[in-house]
Amino acid sequence: MTLTINLIDLAGFIALLLWGTHMVQTGIQRAFGSKLRTILGSALRNRFRAFLAGVGVTAVLQSSTATGLMTAGFAAGGLMGLVPALAVMLGANVGTTLIVQILSFDVTLVAPALVLIGMLMFRRDSRTQAHDLGRVFIGLGLMLLALRHLLDLMTGYENSPTLTALLGLISSSWVLDVVLAAVLTWAAHSSVAVVLLIMSLATKGVVPADAAFALVLGANLGTAINPLIEGPAGNDPAAKRPALGNLIGRLTGVAVTIGLLGPISRFIMEIEPSPARAVADFHTLFNLAVALVSLPLLTPYASLLRRLLPDRADPADPARPLYLDPAAKETPIVALGAASREALRLADVLEDMLLGVNAGLTKGDRRLLVETRRREDVLDKLNIAIKSYLTSLDPDELNEIDQRRLNEILTFTMNIEQAGDVIDRNFLPHASKRLKRGLVFSDDDQNDISTMIRRLAANLKTAASLFVTEDPRTARLLVDEKAVFRDAESKAIASHFDRLRNSDLQTAQASSIHLDLLRDMKLINSHIVAAAAYPVLERTGALLPSRMA
């Protein structure tokens, strides 16, 4: 009976350790998630900057899985090269060791104070950053309390024959230690919690130093599995390359270290007699060594990964979402990033529609107009998928910044889809009518139409860029483009009327269609501007009454 109660206590304290780790991660994500994503996204060009960004972001988030998912998103979306993405993953591996270093010291006395401070902060307005940081302090306090109780619980079993036999079996095989810790870390989704548990076992002498180090290797291997399994859904290999590269690198590092584990263990224990500190130091040194060896080799390694995972062919169904991964919903910032990437596909489809209409009108080919109309169905389906995905997120997991970004994504997708509706319901019928009746625009009228369509495509690219960067200067330029586009429409109409006075009957019959197309393009441009510019200017307080113009 006593053994059963103690086993329940053990499981409960491990669960408390995991829950405390979860609270720290979610609290940081809610308080600083968007800013951390921006920091990570800025380290795109240089592998060393990317490595440092990975260290910093993961040290704060304490989740290499979350960093890995964000990195996979940037890589798959073409916003980050594979080499910097791999460097970020190496940095994430080092960053996740830092809290273990801190907790390897005896800081359990501050646990009640952390919980108290955290509770006082948490009870404040839920929309404040202090509320989210309160969750972090509570989580840290719970982690320290769990570690303290684990140590106390294991004290009575240090000399237990059953436990000694069981752990003796585990300690006899380093490979078994690696596999056991890898499975536990994969299931727990936290290498931090597992390494802290290993520290507790080593501190009480339950496992020898070499076995503890082998367990640490397994924890490092297990945490590399999560981003690969939980990465973006779909058939895009680019999304899997950083996670697979990280896993292969970890696996290689573990294999090499296992062969040298004996002398490494003796060396570390000689310079660091404290078992807890020795485990923490080994954890950090292993990841630093893998990073130092890997960084110079990332370019050929990236080429190897591209051969292993060649670029995806175009999917059979272009309306199928590629990035809306259900597993990412557990981490709101990652889910919002996935939805943003999917929203950019809407802009690509709308651009194809504009270019298709222009080609159809210029060449007089009705088949091009029919193909363009099919793309409107793609817009509708992707828009519905994005809205369903975003509205399924738990609102309690979203902070104020996350909610704002969610609304911006919905605004972007809604306006892009409505611009597609204008093409489908107005522009295409007018263009088809012109071709069906055999009406011909004058060369000048056709040039005006083509010029304005190309201007729409350029404005759409600006809107897509603004959706990613949220730069107020670009937003103001895009809003100003609305007035420029309106002036261009007015000049095109005036020029059209001048030409109409000296035209033949056929040109006069095409006049109303030409004017309808100009009006449709102005409406399309209004939706493009509203998709990205207004949310940014409203947020920064830079929106002027000219919006109503």
Side-chain angles (χ1 to χ4, degrees):
M1 184 66 179
T2 303
L3 179 61
T4 301
I5 294 175
N6 286 332
L7 287 176
I8 293 174
D9 289 342
L10 177 64
F13 294 140
I14 293 174
L16 184 62
L17 178 63
L18 292 174
W19 182 250
T21 306
H22 172 75
M23 289 191 71
V24 172
Q25 293 172 1
T26 56
I28 290 293
Q29 288 168 7
R30 294 179 188 182
F32 305 111
S34 298
K35 294 179 181 178
L36 293 176
R37 187 177 187 274
T38 301
I39 292 172
L40 187 62
S42 66
L44 303 181
R45 302 190 187 101
N46 183 284
R47 71 181 67 185
F48 299 104
R49 285 181 58 194
F51 173 77
L52 294 176
V55 173
V57 171
T58 310
V60 176
L61 280 179
Q62 281 309 306
S63 174
S64 58
T65 299
T67 305
L69 289 172
M70 286 190 284
T71 303
F74 283 126
L79 300 175
M80 177 182 283
L82 182 55
V83 169
L86 292 170
V88 169
M89 298 297 289
L90 291 172
N93 299 337
V94 175
T96 196
T97 70
L98 298 184
I99 194 172
V100 174
Q101 284 287 345
I102 295 172
L103 297 182
S104 64
F105 296 98
D106 187 11
V107 291
T108 55
L109 293 178
V110 303
L114 288 174
V115 174
L116 176 61
I117 294 171
M119 180 60 67
L120 294 175
M121 297 174 67
F122 187 80
R123 291 176 64 87
R124 297 187 62 180
D125 188 344
S126 62
R127 293 171 297 178
T128 65
Q129 193 175 69
H131 173 88
D132 298 323
L133 291 177
R135 177 184 290 269
V136 174
F137 281 107
I138 293 173
L140 287 172
L142 293 180
M143 291 171 67
L144 294 174
L145 289 173
L147 289 172
R148 177 74 268 169
H149 285 293
L150 281 171
L151 290 173
D152 292 341
L153 183 65
M154 286 184 289
T155 299
Y157 288 89
E158 291 180 60
N159 300 317
S160 169
T162 303
L163 183 61
T164 302
L166 177 61
L167 293 175
L169 177 64
I170 295 175
S171 302
S172 64
S173 173
W174 292 338
V175 175
L176 181 61
D177 292 336
V178 171
V179 173
L180 177 64
V183 172
L184 181 59
T185 305
W186 168 77
H189 281 59
S190 175
S191 61
V192 173
V194 173
V195 173
L196 291 176
L197 179 61
I198 296 169
M199 283 169 45
S200 299
L201 295 172
T203 298
K204 303 308 295 184
V206 177
V207 293
D210 53 358
F213 295 158
L215 289 169
V216 169
L217 292 176
N220 279 278
L221 186 61
T223 195
I225 298 173
N226 296 124
L228 185 63
I229 296 176
E230 299 176 7
N235 300 319
D236 187 359
K240 299 293 184 182
R241 288 171 184 161
L244 179 63
N246 182 52
L247 178 60
I248 293 175
R250 290 273 189 118
L251 189 59
T252 304
V254 168
V256 172
T257 306
I258 280 289
L260 303 172
L261 194 56
I264 290 175
S265 299
R266 290 191 293 271
F267 173 74
I268 291 179
M269 292 307 298
E270 285 178 3
I271 62 175
E272 181 53 78
S274 169
R277 294 286 309 127
V279 169
D281 290 345
F282 176 79
H283 182 39
T284 301
L285 290 173
F286 170 76
N287 284 286
L288 280 174
V290 171
L292 291 174
V293 172
S294 301
L295 277 173
L297 305 175
L298 288 185
T299 299
Y301 187 38
S303 300
L304 175 62
L305 289 172
R306 292 189 185 98
R307 287 196 293 270
L308 292 175
L309 296 173
D311 291 330
R312 169 184 56 84
D314 291 335
D317 182 9
R320 182 179 61 182
L322 300 180
Y323 308 117
L324 303 182
D325 180 26
K329 294 180 183 180
E330 297 295 327
T331 308
I333 183 176
V334 177
L336 293 174
S340 297
R341 292 165 58 208
E342 202 70 58
L344 290 175
R345 292 186 63 208
L346 292 176
D348 293 337
V349 175
L350 182 61
E351 182 180 7
D352 289 341
M353 293 179 70
L354 290 170
L355 298 179
V357 167
N358 191 38
L361 285 172
T362 302
K363 299 176 181 179
D365 190 343
R366 295 179 64 184
R367 289 177 300 176
L368 292 175
L369 300 183
V370 173
E371 292 176 5
T372 299
R373 174 166 275 124
R374 293 196 186 107
R375 293 191 181 99
E376 209 281 328
D377 292 334
V378 177
L379 279 182
D380 287 339
K381 292 178 181 178
L382 287 177
N383 183 43
I384 292 172
I386 293 170
K387 285 195 293 187
S388 299
Y389 184 78
L390 291 176
T391 53
S392 67
L393 297 179
D394 185 356
D396 292 335
E397 293 291 323
L398 302 173
N399 61 25
E400 186 175 354
I401 296 177
D402 293 334
Q403 187 63 55
R404 174 184 59 77
R405 184 57 178 168
L406 186 149
N407 292 334
E408 289 176 350
I409 298 171
L410 291 175
T411 298
F412 184 84
T413 57
M414 177 190 68
N415 279 283
I416 296 298
E417 193 271 336
Q418 288 177 347
D421 285 342
V422 175
I423 295 176
D424 180 57
R425 298 173 185 176
N426 300 342
F427 205 99
L428 284 174
H430 294 146
S432 298
K433 185 190 297 184
R434 197 212 82 174
L435 297 180
K436 184 177 181 180
R437 294 181 181 180
L439 301 176
V440 179
F441 289 155
S442 68
D443 290 341
D444 289 332
D445 282 348
Q446 183 61 57
N447 287 336
D448 285 343
I449 293 291
S450 296
T451 299
M452 294 185 71
I453 289 178
R454 288 193 294 270
R455 195 177 197 99
L456 282 176
N459 289 347
L460 179 61
K461 290 181 179 178
T462 301
S465 174
L466 175 59
F467 178 66
V468 175
T469 63
E470 299 183 288
D471 178 37
R473 295 168 299 177
T474 305
R476 174 51 58 193
L477 290 175
L478 187 58
V479 168
D480 292 341
E481 182 64 22
K482 188 174 180 179
V484 173
F485 197 92
R486 185 171 60 246
D487 292 340
E489 180 210 25
S490 299
K491 291 179 182 178
I493 291 174
S495 299
H496 172 73
F497 282 136
D498 288 339
R499 291 188 293 269
L500 193 60
R501 294 188 183 96
N502 301 316
S503 64
D504 56 22
L505 179 61
Q506 187 184 49
T507 303
Q509 290 175 337
S511 174
S512 63
I513 295 178
H514 178 79
L515 296 175
D516 287 337
L517 292 177
L518 293 175
R519 180 200 62 203
D520 294 337
M521 285 190 287
K522 184 173 71 171
L523 183 56
I524 293 169
N525 189 65
S526 296
H527 284 301
I528 291 173
V529 173
Y534 293 155
V536 173
L537 295 179
E538 286 175 347
R539 174 170 56 82
T540 58
L543 188 61
L544 299 177
S546 60
R547 169 176 178 170
M548 304 305 297

